Amino acid sequence: MGRYVVRRLLQMIPVFIGTTFLIYYMVYQLGGDPISAMFGDKGADPVFVRQMREEFHLNDPLIVQYWYYITDLLHGDFGTSFNGRPVADELKRAFPVSIRLAMIAFAIEVVVGVGLGLLSGLRRGKFVDTLVLAGTLVVISIPVFVLGTVAQFWLGSEWGIFEATATVGDATWSQLLLPGIVLGSLSLAFVARLTRTSVAENMRADYVRTATAKGLPRRRVVTRHLLRNSLIPVVTFLGADLGALMAGAIVTEGIFNVDGVGRLIYLAVTKHESSTVVGAVAALVMIYLVMNLIVDLLYAVLDPRIRYA
Amino acid sequence: MRGTTRVKWVVGMAVLGLAATACGSSDDDKGSKGSGGGLPAGYYSASSTEPQNLIQPANSNETGGFYPLQLMFRGLYTYDSKTGQPVPAMAQSVESPDSTNYTVKLKPGWTFHNGEPVTAKSYVDAWNWGANSENKQINSSWFAKIEGYDAVHPENGAPTTKEMSGLKVVDDNTFTIKLTQAVSSFKASLGYVVYAPLPQEFFKDPKKYGEAPIGNGPFQLDTANGGWNHKKSITVKKYDKYVGDDKPKSNGVRLDMYTTYDAAYTALRDNKLDVIDQIPTAAVGSFKKDLGDRAIEAPQFSIQKIGFPLYDAGWGAPGKEKVRQGLSMAIDRASIVKAIYKGAEQPATDWLAPNIPGYSKDITGELTKYDPAKARELVTAGGGIPGGKLTIATNADGPHKEWVTAVCNSINEALKQPGACEPKLYPEFSVARKDITDKKMTGAYRTGWRADYPFPDNFLADVYLTGAASNDSGYSSPVFDDLAKRAMAAPDQTEGVKLWQQAEQQMAKDVPSIPLWYYVTKAGSSTKVSNVQFDPYGNPVFTEVTVK
């Protein structure tokens, strides 16, 4: 088990180098001159442009630029953005917000999603099942910006149940509640449907029949045997989803004024700030990899037949 | 089973962690009362963005950096909030016998926020510092007209000196400026924030004071209420010892940074934000209904144009100016503006914006009047559109695609050639700009201009003079150049304006670009403030706002 984890951690190194290089390459390929663009429609000061291009190594070939970046990174330096501020500060500011938002969305997704899935899986074909299926279908088919804007207008502005916009800089938990619900709702629908199918399938499994035949109380059969085994596909989905919740929340972040990672990356891409984009994406990649590892380890918890040597 | 137990423990800890942070949230809730909360009495909030650079007078060419400078600094002149014309702020007098040599006399009694008196030296040192290429100020080139700029901002290599020879301190309240040549608009440009003074404290640690600026303006940084809280807000309070005429009518201002104008607009409607400087595209059609008398429209010194690559063999060929004239007359400006902007935008009749000295409603004559028959005639007379097809390039990440499409439709209909004009979309601004500045365009492109100071030089010389920094079209007309140079060097402004109008008549023949329309600021305020105005540069008049 320990050896397995070490092996997996070592595998992360080439993945990390590969992804950072790819992202660096992609930003490089965007073309355009980010420094001249700082002057808008007006003519740029050639001396300023020259100095900035030299400072940020923009005249060097891609591989040299990447080398500067990766060596700095190994020294713990995430580089600086064009305005001279350290990228590390930007990351330190954006990540906690996105992590909080993702945690709210994730918690809702897990609790409500698995709950609803279990409920409808156990009562397959009944009214509750139909209701959950129809409800999740509606959520899946509505684009998130419609859902977000409508929720913001009614639940936030009009009825005042939730706060409609978050404060940039330090979004509080309560301000992130509504965006978290909106963000989690799509995945919630998927989780509910996955759980439902899985539960309904396993209901007919031999071990469930055995457990029932042993005379175990229904509650124990459902939680210890049925649900535990049914969660494997759900956990796989959830593990990958956590990363998506953090990076892919740009639409939701925009509606609710949440200044998180999605927005940080978007703005950095428009400004062609390689160091910010790569820094943020690299951190996300690490989160993905770690989450994947945790998911794989969770398999062993959920299904005793799985062992890691 | 040992492995499994350990994993269980890890999962358990993770759950505990979640629970612990969830508990922590209740404390956070008490700390803040939402975006609109926590404003000290008599303060109001205004939407803004994070400054792209440190807050230093010569280091901002975007609103995010400009607003705090405008709040905290005053130069020799400021611009009238209604007409946009320069009015003296710190200048007692600025006199010049020849538009080359200037003697500046300061009003006494002005102080920086740290108590230091503002003297002639404060100006001279600030300008020298801003011009120095080692300080990497984005607006350094504003000092290029001053003699000795080349030495502090050389094309190549390091500066050879730290002082421009054209600036001399005479006494505490007097300094002289010598320009490299006569510039009649120089006085009008002195209201731009680049020319603000700096205290001696600043030069000790420019970086530190760029984070916590000490200015001489109506407001000072309010560190007790957060000061510059990066990416969140900038709070300023009234400076009690301010002696300028535009004393603040509120106790303070907080610039709140929003991620999108949509979010800012939502906050404004919820009364969590008091002044918004731009209405999001989605709400442009409805904001007057949403806000009622709190909706604001104010004309801007800002023009939208279509530029042509005159360096291109097709478009630059002699005779093609007829085609450009025809295209200009094929655009039904009034209808497009009405359909797309739904507001007070006006069709352009001049390359200058209304209220700029020299602006005229008929200087371009029929060039800017919609006349499909004449348009067809001219395009045919000019030998047709080069290559048979006109593309108008724009960046897809800005709000331009709609009107470019409308302009194309208007041209296609007027010329009765479906598909003659098509928008060409660039994925983003910097890529489009690179092709434009590298002079690699083969078709037309959108181009805009917003005034920095209210004089034709800013609209014309900076854009159409041969080799000018913003001359993207490669326009080069000896007649225009001659008139423009004489206009710029004219001994007084009236003479200058007259020459500029003659120069524009040459432009109307050559059509280096097609003027389309003038922009209007669309903004709004909450119910908590009144007297919210916007000046012709599109900026809120911060000092005039009153809190109810």
Side-chain angles (χ1 to χ4, degrees), chain B residues 206-399:
Chain B
K207 206 172 163 190
K208 181 179 157 198
Y209 290 101
E211 294 275 354
I214 302 169
N216 63 334
F219 292 95
Q220 68 183 108
L221 196 70
D222 189 354
T223 35
N225 283 305
W228 184 6
N229 200 335
H230 283 289
K231 297 244 172 164
K232 188 187 170 198
S233 62
I234 297 176
T235 313
V236 296
K237 65 178 178 194
K238 187 162 101 178
Y239 177 46
D240 291 326
K241 293 187 189 126
Y242 184 66
V243 293
D245 295 330
D246 53 343
K247 289 191 180 58
K249 293 179 178 158
S250 60
N251 291 338
V253 187
R254 192 178 68 199
L255 298 173
D256 280 345
M257 294 153 199
Y258 282 85
T259 55
T260 59
Y261 275 109
D262 296 277
Y265 188 64
T266 305
L268 182 93
R269 294 214 294 166
D270 291 352
N271 258 353
K272 284 180 175 176
L273 171 71
D274 297 321
V275 177
I276 190 170
D277 61 349
Q278 189 178 322
I279 301 296
T281 325
V284 161
S286 66
F287 87 105
K288 280 190 223 164
K289 204 182 88 204
D290 291 346
L291 301 179
D293 57 359
R294 293 181 288 119
I296 299 163
E297 277 197 303
Q300 267 186 26
F301 288 159
S302 152
I303 184 172
Q304 189 68 62
K305 302 176 284 189
I306 294 175
F308 291 96
L310 301 180
Y311 46 82
D312 175 78
W315 284 105
K320 288 297 171 196
E321 69 277 357
K322 285 220 173 69
V323 178
R324 296 194 291 273
Q325 288 165 6
L327 289 171
S328 174
M329 293 169 71
I331 301 168
D332 185 0
R333 295 169 176 75
S335 309
I336 296 173
V337 159
K338 215 170 135 197
I340 292 190
Y341 297 105
K342 302 175 177 85
E345 280 78 3
Q346 273 179 37
T349 55
D350 191 337
W351 283 275
L352 303 174
N355 281 328
I356 299 285
Y359 164 80
S360 150
K361 272 205 154 91
D362 39 41
I363 193 150
T364 50
E366 56 181 8
L367 179 73
T368 49
K369 300 221 166 50
Y370 180 54
D371 186 346
K374 190 87 195 280
R376 281 195 295 275
E377 201 178 290
L378 279 163
V379 170
T380 319
I385 298 170
K389 194 171 192 119
L390 168 72
T391 54
I392 303 177
T394 182
N395 48 310
D397 59 346

Side-chain angles (χ1 to χ4, degrees), chain A residues 32 38-43 45 47 50-51 55 83 85 90 157 168 173-175 254 257 263 272 301, chain B residues 7 25 28 50 52 61 133 136 153 155 231-232 257-260 270 428 433 448 450 452 469-470:
Chain A
M38 290 166 117
F39 289 84
D41 280 345
K42 304 194 173 178
D45 174 6
V47 179
R50 176 172 54 81
Q51 285 178 328
E55 186 182 337
N83 60 18
R85 236 166 264 145
E90 303 273 295
S157 300
V168 170
W173 286 95
S174 66
Q175 289 174 340
N257 199 38
R263 185 169 167 76
H272 295 202
V301 184
Chain B
V7 174
S25 70
D28 286 358
E50 170 79 357
Q52 283 182 6
N61 63 353
S133 61
K136 289 186 191 154
H153 198 99
E155 199 70 34
K231 297 244 172 164
K232 188 187 170 198
M257 294 153 199
Y258 282 85
T259 55
T260 59
D270 291 352
E428 48 161 0
R433 274 308 290 173
R450 188 171 176 181
D452 304 302
S470 300

Side-chain angles (χ1 to χ4, degrees), chain A residues 25-81:
Chain A
Y25 174 74
M26 286 191 237
V27 178
Y28 181 84
Q29 284 298 322
L30 280 174
D33 181 3
I35 308 295
S36 302
M38 290 166 117
F39 289 84
D41 280 345
K42 304 194 173 178
D45 174 6
V47 179
F48 180 85
V49 173
R50 176 172 54 81
Q51 285 178 328
M52 290 289 278
R53 289 190 70 89
E54 276 166 17
E55 186 182 337
F56 288 93
H57 311 296
L58 294 177
N59 297 323
D60 294 325
L62 168 69
I63 198 80
V64 179
Q65 288 189 32
Y66 179 71
W67 178 250
Y68 279 120
Y69 177 76
I70 205 79
T71 41
D72 280 351
L73 195 62
L74 291 178
H75 291 105
D77 179 3
F78 276 90
T80 42
S81 49

Side-chain angles (χ1 to χ4, degrees), chain A residues 173-221:
Chain A
W173 286 95
S174 66
Q175 289 174 340
L176 291 174
L177 208 53
L178 189 56
I181 293 172
V182 169
L183 184 62
S185 62
L186 182 68
S187 304
L188 180 152
F190 284 123
V191 169
R193 287 175 156 240
L194 269 175
T195 315
R196 174 190 172 273
T197 321
S198 198
V199 165
E201 220 167 77
N202 287 332
M203 283 267 277
R204 289 189 298 258
D206 291 344
Y207 61 85
V208 174
R209 201 178 44 203
T210 312
T212 320
K214 273 202 293 189
L216 289 181
R218 182 176 160 80
R219 188 187 169 75
R220 197 168 162 77
V221 173

